[in-house]
Amino acid sequence: GAGVSQSPSNKVTEKGKDVELRCDPISGHTALYWYRQSLGQGLEFLIYFQGNSAPDKSGLPSDRFSAERTGGSVSTLTIQRTQQEDSAVYLCASSLWRGGQNTQYFGPGTRLTVL
Amino acid sequence: AQTVTQSQPEMSVQEAETVTLSCTYDTSENNYYLFWYKQPPSRQMILVIRQEAYKQQNATENRFSVNFQKAAKSFSLKISDSQLGDTAMYFCASAPPSGAQKLVFGQGTRLTINP
């Protein structure tokens, strides 16, 4: 079946602009995660959704970052007033929440470059 | 908080050789989950193998196996009969048994398989 998809694959923007990154999880997966991968910080958790609610958003680095999920499916990560330090690969993952161990399956990521 | 450490930034071996990637972690949990993910140049994070801490038996997946030493908090990955397609970044990760089960990643090991 189809895996996790993300769009766009690459995004170049100017400092101060807003960007939206999209994630389509595997059909039926109730849990969705956003991570950020940057040279300086490695792989960091940003936010977790269970259904449409976000019980853990502890990794969002500032109030410029927000995310939503609708219909228990697609999620959008929005970064307002982008800064150069926001340049990174943003990875989305989903899992089928059944209790116990929930393996996360990743999308190909969106590479964001802020000029 | 969980932490994961990979002490080998880069490794290189010849095709068909066996290679072992190291990973240590720290956690106060008694049960948790451990993973190895592979990230080729395509950026897609691919699950290689997973281990549940309460299981004594080391996980295996074809040419991939782990050496899980719970007391030492060590979780190494062994790749047997290495292939050119194994060239990638390898990340060790841990997740708690409950809550968001968000992944905590190590810094990664860049593995190159030479022909």
Side-chain angles (χ1 to χ4, degrees), chain B residues 87-106:
Chain B
T87 293
M89 283 289 290
Y90 286 81
F91 292 93
C92 179
S94 69
S98 60
Q101 295 192 340
K102 55 195 176 189
L103 294 167
V104 174
F105 288 91

Side-chain angles (χ1 to χ4, degrees), chain B residues 72-88:
Chain B
K73 295 183 178 176
S74 171
F75 183 62
S76 61
L77 174 70
K78 185 172 82 170
I79 306 174
S80 303
D81 185 25
S82 57
Q83 300 175 0
L84 297 179
D86 296 333
T87 293

Side-chain angles (χ1 to χ4, degrees), chain A residues 20-113:
Chain A
E20 286 189 351
L21 311 180
R22 176 188 170 106
C23 172
D24 277 279
I26 294 171
S27 178
H29 280 197
T30 57
L32 186 147
Y33 303 78
W34 284 97
Y35 294 88
R36 180 168 71 172
Q37 185 174 22
S38 58
L39 283 176
Q41 302 298 322
L43 274 153
E44 308 170 281
F45 165 81
L46 296 178
I47 188 170
Y48 153 70
F49 287 91
Q50 183 58 250
N52 290 336
S53 63
D56 189 342
K57 52 180 77 172
S58 61
L60 294 178
S62 75
D63 58 8
R64 295 187 296 105
F65 287 72
S66 63
E68 65 174 11
R69 189 179 185 194
T70 55
S73 180
V74 172
S75 176
T76 303
L77 176 68
T78 301
I79 309 173
Q80 295 179 311
R81 305 181 303 282
T82 52
Q83 303 295 311
Q84 288 183 332
E85 61 262 29
D86 299 335
S87 295
V89 175
Y90 290 83
L91 294 167
C92 176
S94 69
S95 74
L96 180 60
W97 193 267
R98 291 186 289 198
Q101 186 272 312
N102 298 286
T103 298
Q104 295 177 35
Y105 298 91
F106 284 80
T110 293
R111 181 179 296 280
L112 175 65
T113 302

Side-chain angles (χ1 to χ4, degrees), chain B residues 2-74:
Chain B
Q2 296 186 326
T3 60
V4 178
T5 302
Q6 294 177 250
S7 58
Q8 303 153 311
E10 294 187 28
M11 295 190 72
S12 178
V13 298
Q14 296 300 118
E15 192 175 7
E17 289 184 346
T18 294
V19 59
T20 299
L21 309 182
S22 301
C23 172
T24 58
Y25 60 91
D26 193 17
T27 179
S28 57
E29 304 277 357
N30 186 51
N31 192 25
Y32 43 88
Y33 303 101
L34 297 168
F35 306 85
W36 279 97
Y37 279 90
K38 166 185 176 182
Q39 187 179 40
S42 66
R43 283 201 316 248
Q44 182 104 36
M45 296 280 279
I46 301 165
L47 177 68
V48 174
I49 200 164
R50 65 183 178 216
Q51 175 83 40
E52 297 176 63
Y54 70 88
K55 290 186 177 179
Q56 298 294 324
Q57 188 172 5
N58 289 324
T60 63
E61 286 289 342
N62 301 313
R63 299 183 293 108
F64 299 87
S65 62
V66 298
N67 183 3
F68 174 47
Q69 301 290 329
K70 190 172 184 179
K73 295 183 178 176
S74 171

